Amino acid sequence: MSNFEQFQVDFYQSNYTIDDQEEGYNSYASKESLCRSKKSQTGDQPPAGAFASSEILLSSQSYTGQILQPTYSPNTHLGYMDGFDEEPPLLEELGINFEHIWQKTLTVLNPMKPADGSIMNETDLTGPIIFCLALGATLLLAGKVHFGYVYGISAIGCLAMHALLNLMSVPGVSHGCVASVLGYCLLPMVILSSSAVLFSLQGIPGTVLALFIIGWCSLSASKIFTSALAMEGQQLLIAYPCALLYGLFALLTVF
């Protein structure tokens, strides 16, 4: 029995003392005080949601429009209206000026009228395209499908005249200006092709009329080129290649 009692005493004996208990209690108290200090600090400061809710409230009070719909600003609307009023017309932005087209047409129809070099030096292709289509349409009415010949001769003639004029003139000339002048001066040839619809040009009257139209076209083109490029005294030199070019169109019309 004595051995058994001694075993019980040894079994329940531990190294835990009061000092260890006091140290654990002190550590627990320090942790609890730290938690209380954190709670007090957080209790003094308002939560982040309070600031967010106040900002939302202020923004909702200052904004008077509806959601996804901006408020009406008359100054902005008037600014857009002023910008639209100051914009140039669409035809002017595209380079289509009916007044200049009419002046060029009158200059071609009246070979004796002096040409305005500032207007004739423009690269306006509206009139030439219309006159080329009119020439092809009148030839078609006469039973001649020559749209390809008209466009091909026009392109080759413009390139040849561009090279020739750059060699003869000091300032030089652009491709657009050459195409514009030669195209506008094609208007008398449209009159000749319209006459071919009414009667045959294969005879003496038709030949005389064709020669007259060729001289008309070449005289108008040379006059415009000399005024636009300041080539005084060289009109006959320019009129000769122009007469050769318009003579090809006359051959298409007569034959």
Side-chain angles (χ1 to χ4, degrees):
M1 291 295 292
S2 62
N3 294 328
F4 181 74
E5 292 176 356
Q6 184 66 29
F7 175 76
Q8 287 182 349
V9 172
D10 293 336
F11 180 80
Y12 288 106
Q13 188 177 1
S14 63
N15 294 325
Y16 184 80
T17 59
I18 297 175
D19 296 333
D20 296 335
Q21 186 176 7
E22 289 178 356
E23 290 178 358
Y25 177 76
N26 292 331
S27 63
Y28 176 78
S30 62
K31 290 181 180 179
E32 187 175 0
S33 62
L34 180 62
C35 291
R36 287 180 181 178
S37 63
K38 289 183 178 180
K39 287 182 180 180
S40 62
Q41 290 177 1
T42 56
D44 295 335
Q45 297 178 356
F51 288 104
S53 61
S54 62
E55 291 177 358
I56 294 172
L57 182 59
L58 291 174
S59 62
S60 62
Q61 290 177 357
S62 61
Y63 183 73
T64 58
Q66 298 180 0
I67 299 176
L68 300 179
Q69 293 183 0
T71 57
Y72 175 75
S73 180
N75 296 327
T76 305
H77 182 68
L78 292 176
Y80 279 117
M81 292 298 293
D82 294 338
F84 289 147
D85 292 338
E86 293 176 358
E87 289 184 356
L90 179 61
L91 295 178
E92 185 176 349
E93 290 183 356
L94 296 176
I96 301 174
N97 193 336
F98 289 105
E99 184 179 357
H100 289 184
I101 292 173
W102 179 246
Q103 291 181 5
K104 292 179 181 180
T105 304
L106 293 178
T107 304
V108 172
L109 292 176
N110 187 7
M112 303 303 173
K113 179 182 178 181
D116 189 358
S118 61
I119 296 177
M120 295 302 171
N121 204 12
E122 297 177 353
T123 58
D124 175 29
L125 298 179
T126 305
I129 291 174
I130 294 174
F131 296 153
C132 285
L133 291 175
L135 179 60
T138 51
L139 291 175
L140 182 61
L141 292 176
K144 302 173 184 178
V145 185
H146 292 332
F147 284 98
Y149 291 106
V150 171
Y151 298 146
I153 294 172
S154 300
I156 295 173
C158 289
L159 293 176
M161 287 298 300
H162 176 264
L164 181 62
L165 291 174
N166 281 329
L167 293 174
M168 295 177 64
S169 62
V170 176
V173 65
S174 62
H175 291 88
C177 180
V178 174
S180 177
V181 173
L182 294 178
Y184 273 103
C185 294
L186 198 64
L187 178 58
M189 198 60 61
V190 177
I191 299 174
L192 180 65
S193 61
S194 301
S195 302
V197 178
L198 301 177
F199 55 89
S200 177
L201 298 177
Q202 296 181 4
I204 296 177
T207 304
V208 173
L209 181 60
L211 292 175
F212 175 74
I213 294 297
I214 292 171
W216 187 357
C217 294
S218 60
L219 181 61
S220 299
S222 61
K223 177 192 63 175
I224 294 173
F225 279 131
T226 53
S227 63
L229 302 177
M231 300 173 62
E232 289 81 5
Q234 303 181 13
Q235 184 173 358
L236 293 178
L237 296 176
I238 300 173
Y240 176 70
C242 292
L244 295 178
L245 175 62
Y246 292 113
L248 295 177
F249 290 109
L251 291 176
L252 289 177
T253 305
V254 174
F255 302 101

